[in-house]
Amino acid sequence: MKKILVIGGSRYFGKHLVTLERDAGNEVTVLNRGSTAPPRGVGHLVADREDEAGLRAALGERTFDVVFDQVCYTPGQAETARRVFAGRTGRYVMTSTMEVHDPAPPTPGARAYAEGKRRAEDVLGAEPAFGLVAVRAAHVLGGGRAEFTGRLAHYVERVRAGIPVVVHKAPYPTSFVHHHEIARFLRWAGERDFTGPVNAASHGELDVLGLSGAVAERVGRAPRLRTVAAGSEASPFSFDRAYAMDNGRAAALGFRFRRLEDWLPEAIGETAEVIGR
């Protein structure tokens, strides 16, 4: 039995990660600010991760085999985590994002988010305080109401209502991963001994036209499209430059990804069912 700490882990695939670790027989603790109680059979620590003294007090003398950090967004948060968890864990798995070096669309908010994640990766990996893995996740879909970003719902709502989906004239494909698959990947990464950044994406790429078509097939109505030029604002997942990611390192290390085409219709169906209620 391993001792696992999940920082965050209150919703979506982080919550699924917690239950995966618990069901595997591990001793799991969730650390958050107290807004959400963890699932049954999971320990709970309440602290603000940016309050170093409070974080140390909440942790006490606890040590962990693996720490999963679901909510590290800034270099300041990473610096605090590095100081606090040095000597407390041998392995640290940070959930990062495919946008770290190339946010799209490159809005000020997206740039700030990507820069924060990238610098947080750099801080945590600067010196060998622990073995660091930065899991750069593709666009996460599935889960119906649990998929809180609303990006897939954007397509289901528009296609069903006959509202145009705004797409670039020559859209490029991007990468996706199912919410259960990214949780499984995170747990798998915690059990291995490799370090460094690693991409997590299902096999297969899809552009906005293919996504609109997949939604149309599920809801039974042809999509309406409105085309805009490169550089213009468009619907989520419409990209005017190459925006897919390579999962080759993870696959070579032994993780078996699913194919996008095998789970996307079900994810669309879950979202359509929630919207239809």
Side-chain angles (χ1 to χ4, degrees):
M1 179 176 69
K2 291 185 176 182
K3 292 188 292 184
I4 306 294
L5 178 69
V6 182
I7 305 174
S10 300
R11 62 179 179 176
Y12 207 27
F13 62 87
K15 188 174 182 179
H16 188 56
L17 169 64
V18 169
T19 59
L20 284 177
E21 291 287 6
R22 179 201 63 188
D23 294 348
N26 292 320
E27 179 184 320
V28 185
T29 302
V30 166
L31 187 149
N32 59 29
R33 289 180 293 183
S35 57
T36 305
R40 178 179 52 83
V42 173
H44 191 198
L45 297 176
V46 177
D48 184 338
R49 66 170 304 149
E50 296 188 1
D51 175 2
E52 184 168 341
L55 180 56
R56 289 185 183 275
L59 290 167
E61 300 300 317
R62 293 175 179 84
T63 60
F64 305 94
D65 295 293
V66 186
V67 173
F68 293 98
D69 194 340
Q70 294 288 95
V71 289
C72 188
Y73 300 114
T74 69
Q77 291 173 343
E79 287 169 357
T80 298
R82 189 180 180 283
R83 289 192 297 267
V84 170
F85 288 102
R88 290 182 185 269
T89 186
R91 191 157 183 81
Y92 200 97
V93 181
M94 172 191 171
T95 302
S96 191
T97 175
M98 68 185 295
E99 286 93 350
V100 286
H101 290 300
D102 185 20
T107 62
R111 287 188 181 277
Y113 171 77
E115 176 71 4
K117 280 288 193 181
R118 185 189 62 75
R119 292 178 61 199
E121 285 186 23
D122 292 343
V123 168
L124 287 170
E127 298 178 23
F130 33 60
L132 172 69
V133 180
V135 175
R136 295 176 177 174
H139 305 295
V140 183
L141 295 181
R145 196 178 303 279
E147 199 277 285
F148 62 92
T149 68
R151 293 178 296 185
L152 186 55
H154 171 95
Y155 287 87
V156 173
E157 291 170 340
R158 284 176 173 263
V159 173
R160 178 180 279 171
I163 300 171
V165 176
V166 182
V167 302
H168 291 106
K169 183 176 181 180
Y172 285 81
T174 190
S175 299
F176 299 92
V177 65
H178 190 271
H179 69 117
H180 282 173
E181 185 165 54
I182 187 61
R184 289 195 300 271
F185 184 84
L186 288 165
R187 179 168 186 269
W188 173 86
E191 295 179 328
R192 299 305 188 271
D193 59 3
F194 68 90
T195 58
V198 61
N199 296 339
S202 297
H203 294 304
E205 303 170 355
L206 194 68
D207 65 18
V208 65
L209 302 180
L211 178 59
S212 298
V215 171
E217 184 173 347
R218 181 61 178 79
V219 304
R221 182 167 186 174
R224 294 180 59 197
L225 305 175
R226 180 166 66 84
T227 301
V228 295
S232 300
E233 185 176 352
S235 291
F237 311 131
S238 184
F239 299 106
D240 56 4
R241 61 189 187 280
Y243 214 69
M245 67 193 315
D246 183 355
N247 65 11
R249 185 185 186 212
L253 287 166
F255 189 83
R256 299 183 63 181
F257 290 101
R258 297 173 65 190
R259 296 183 304 170
L260 172 60
E261 62 192 62
D262 290 337
W263 60 260
L264 182 59
E266 180 182 355
I268 294 169
E270 291 171 342
T271 300
E273 183 178 352
V274 168
I275 293 174
R277 290 175 183 171

